[in-house]
Amino acid sequence: EGREGVHQTSSVYRTSVVMQDVCSKAFAWCWLWGLTWIMTDIEFFKMRHITPYFLEGKILLAIGCSCLALVIIFMLDKVQDNLLRQTGGKVSLKDVQHIVQEIVSAVGIMVGFSWEHSFDASVAAVSSTTSHPVEMKLGLTFLVMFVMVPAWRRHILAKSLFHGDAKDVKHKRRLASEKGLSYTPLAKVT
């Protein structure tokens, strides 16, 4: 019963984590396409024939998304500080940090999607100027992959795996202790 209770709670927990992930990605896509739509209606861009469907517009959109992300993160930090100060500790610090972290993750996904669109358009633009555009696009894709994947693996993936494993271990320990059980991971996570 004890182990099944932990497993059932764990599957509910994992389902909620998956749903949060789906919602954050949907949030990111909605913001990205909303900003794309807004950009098509701005007279400044219309007069210069800059649309978010061409390279210049995609780069400007990515820069705009990055700037918006900085503003949102700065505002969330201020809101978090004010909320904790005004409630006098009635609101859990972990709850507030979790909410802020989820929003920041969704905003980060939006920025990543916008820059991915810019990279894709850049590769297509450069490859279209050659006599063999398909081969050039394939070559540029591999070049970008050989440059970006090792850096991503070394810096982003390593941190993500470490933090994800640490959170998972803490969660499993908490669930096990609620049921009067103990939990020891197979590999040590500090």
Side-chain angles (χ1 to χ4, degrees):
E1 178 187 336
R3 291 186 190 272
E4 290 176 23
V6 170
H7 177 69
Q8 289 172 352
T9 307
S10 181
S11 64
V12 169
Y13 170 77
R14 289 189 186 279
T15 301
S16 71
V17 168
V18 168
M19 291 307 298
Q20 285 176 355
D21 192 43
V22 167
C23 290
S24 70
K25 284 181 176 59
F27 171 85
W29 274 111
C30 289
W31 267 91
L32 179 61
W33 289 109
L35 291 171
T36 301
W37 183 43
I38 289 170
M39 188 176 177
T40 59
D41 284 344
I42 295 176
E43 197 62 37
F44 176 81
F45 296 122
K46 283 183 182 178
M47 290 175 16
R48 288 158 182 77
H49 304 288
I50 297 173
T51 68
Y53 305 109
F54 295 107
L55 179 59
E56 298 88 3
K58 288 182 184 215
I59 291 172
L60 285 174
L61 183 64
I63 291 170
C65 286
S66 298
C67 292
L68 178 65
L70 286 173
V71 170
I72 289 173
I73 291 169
F74 180 75
M75 287 174 33
L76 283 173
D77 184 49
K78 293 297 180 191
V79 167
Q80 178 181 350
D81 292 344
N82 287 335
L83 182 65
L84 292 173
R85 192 177 327 110
Q86 289 177 355
T87 60
K90 292 179 184 175
V91 176
S92 168
L93 176 64
K94 285 184 179 183
D95 291 340
V96 174
Q97 286 176 337
H98 178 73
I99 293 168
V100 169
Q101 182 181 4
E102 289 297 322
I103 295 170
V104 168
S105 294
V107 169
I109 291 169
M110 174 190 68
V111 171
F113 284 154
S114 67
W115 282 108
E116 186 275 329
H117 285 205
S118 297
F119 271 87
D120 185 47
S122 299
V123 167
V126 169
S127 66
S128 68
T129 62
T130 64
S131 59
H132 302 288
V134 174
E135 292 83 2
M136 179 57 85
K137 187 171 183 177
L138 181 65
L140 287 172
T141 300
F142 280 114
L143 178 67
V144 168
M145 182 184 73
F146 287 130
V147 170
M148 299 296 283
V149 169
W152 168 80
R153 187 170 172 244
R154 187 177 315 115
H155 299 288
I156 297 172
L157 181 62
K159 288 181 183 176
S160 177
L161 289 175
F162 173 77
H163 291 297
D165 287 346
K167 283 182 187 176
D168 194 39
V169 167
K170 287 179 186 176
H171 175 71
K172 287 179 180 178
R173 282 186 179 146
R174 183 179 56 79
L175 288 175
S177 69
E178 288 174 0
K179 300 292 181 182
L181 302 171
S182 64
Y183 175 77
T184 306
L186 296 176
K188 184 176 182 182
V189 178
T190 56

